[in-house]
Amino acid sequence: MEAADIAGAWTAATLRATTPLLFALLGETLVQRTAIINLGVEGQMLVGAFAGFAAASVFGDPWIALLVGGMAGLLLSSVHAGLCLGAGANQIGSGIAIWLLGLGISSFYGRPFVGAEIVGFGPLVANPATGFRFVDQLLSQLTITTVIALALVPFIGVWLFRSRFGLNWRAVGESIDTAQALGLRPWLIQLQAILVGGFLAGIGGAVLSVDYTETWAQEITKGRGLVAVALVIAARWNPFLALPVALLFGGSEAAVLRFQAQGVEISSYLLAATPYVICILLMWIGYLRVRGNGYMPAELSRIFR
């Protein structure tokens, strides 16, 4: 295999592994920008993965599966919104409850689908012949979900930093009192952010089961939702930085799979832990860089006091 083929296959594997996480990471970035933290992203991804896979099994349409998965994540996130905004519950405790609720729902109702087979999205181009091996590898291995995820990065970034609505969301994250004085309704903006974040997390879960693995297994997310919450810090609450941070995790995950396939003589458990060790390092480095630098929304810091 030529160097261009290897580079293309490696890049495609990295992007495919990154795609589910990127959806969840972008969603959680928006949520935390409004001074809400949601540890329930893991549960939202799980119900999205289950609901999406079930919809794909019933309807045979991956687009419907993504929509159903997103709506499942949105519905579960509405519980978090009700607890935090309606009942005034602790955000950390509510997030953990949502995580466990999503785990229980997906594990119980997902049992009949274990071992089922579905047909997900096909490649962007079935038999590309551009004359460039690297490009051909990408077109033949990537699917439309990766394109959507990549396109969301600049879209959300421009919306958040260059639009009036994005300014309102950031204003709530910096000072709820000031936002109220400006005539905004912080609770409504936070509700919108929680629901949007849940929808994106649900889509990320559906992409994982319907497009990336094309299978269903209990706890299929393997902590990706919690990773998304942690990587928001490394990305400095900036959608534009979400992509490179997510790529580091996705690239390490793709590397682990390649090493295991090649029979590298290292414990499979140690190899599987590598992406999460990288996540911890990224979060630690990110925390050191953002501490006291004003990157964290001011209202969000109150949650940890």
Side-chain angles (χ1 to χ4, degrees):
M1 184 178 290
E2 295 186 4
D5 292 323
I6 296 174
W10 185 279
T11 303
T14 297
L15 289 172
R16 282 182 57 80
T18 299
T19 300
L21 176 65
L22 187 56
F23 277 106
L25 177 54
L26 290 171
E28 181 62 12
T29 298
L30 289 175
V31 174
Q32 292 194 25
R33 270 291 179 176
T34 63
I36 296 287
I37 187 169
N38 184 7
L39 295 182
V41 175
E42 179 78 3
Q44 293 162 10
M45 288 190 74
L46 281 169
V47 296
F50 153 68
F53 189 85
S57 299
V58 173
F59 299 105
D61 188 334
W63 288 107
I64 294 178
L66 289 191
L67 178 60
V68 171
M71 292 305 299
L74 184 149
L75 288 175
L76 190 57
S77 69
S78 68
V79 179
H80 183 59
L83 290 172
C84 295
L85 303 180
N90 179 274
Q91 294 182 19
I92 304 298
S94 173
I96 293 174
I98 297 303
W99 168 18
L100 296 177
L101 179 60
L103 173 62
I105 291 174
S106 61
S107 297
F108 180 79
Y109 290 103
R111 286 183 296 179
F113 295 96
V114 174
E117 297 181 358
I118 63 167
V119 177
F121 291 94
L124 293 174
V125 180
N127 296 298
T130 64
F132 299 95
R133 290 181 176 273
F134 179 83
V135 176
D136 289 344
Q137 286 284 346
L138 293 181
L139 293 176
S140 64
Q141 296 186 41
L142 296 181
T143 65
I144 189 62
T145 59
T146 299
V147 177
I148 295 173
L150 295 176
L152 277 177
V153 173
F155 177 82
I156 291 178
V158 170
W159 180 88
L160 187 63
F161 293 113
R162 293 291 184 267
S163 73
R164 181 170 62 87
F165 294 105
L167 176 62
N168 292 342
W169 282 37
R170 289 187 289 122
V172 170
E174 294 300 328
S175 174
I176 289 179
D177 292 336
T178 302
Q180 288 177 329
L182 292 173
L184 303 176
R185 289 181 287 181
W187 69 268
L188 180 59
I189 290 176
Q190 290 177 327
L191 173 62
Q192 293 170 347
I194 293 172
L195 296 181
V196 170
F199 183 75
L200 289 176
I203 289 181
V207 169
L208 181 62
S209 62
V210 175
D211 186 46
Y212 184 51
T213 65
E214 295 188 353
T215 187
W216 166 253
Q218 293 187 7
E219 301 183 49
I220 191 174
T221 53
K222 298 185 183 299
R224 285 179 176 84
L226 295 176
V227 168
V229 177
L231 291 184
V232 172
I233 299 174
R236 304 181 190 179
W237 294 270
N238 187 332
F240 291 112
L241 297 179
L243 178 58
V245 168
L247 283 172
L248 287 173
F249 183 88
S252 62
E253 188 177 33
V256 166
L257 294 175
R258 182 171 291 272
F259 289 152
Q260 289 176 336
Q262 293 178 349
V264 175
E265 294 183 359
I266 300 177
S267 170
S268 60
Y269 298 103
L270 291 178
L271 280 175
T274 301
Y276 303 94
V277 173
I278 291 177
C279 171
I280 293 173
L281 291 175
L282 287 173
M283 183 177 65
W284 179 65
I285 295 172
Y287 172 74
L288 292 178
R289 293 181 65 87
V290 304
R291 185 176 57 181
N293 290 335
Y295 292 114
M296 176 185 288
E299 284 288 342
L300 186 64
S301 63
R302 296 185 181 183
I303 300 172
F304 305 100
R305 295 175 184 173

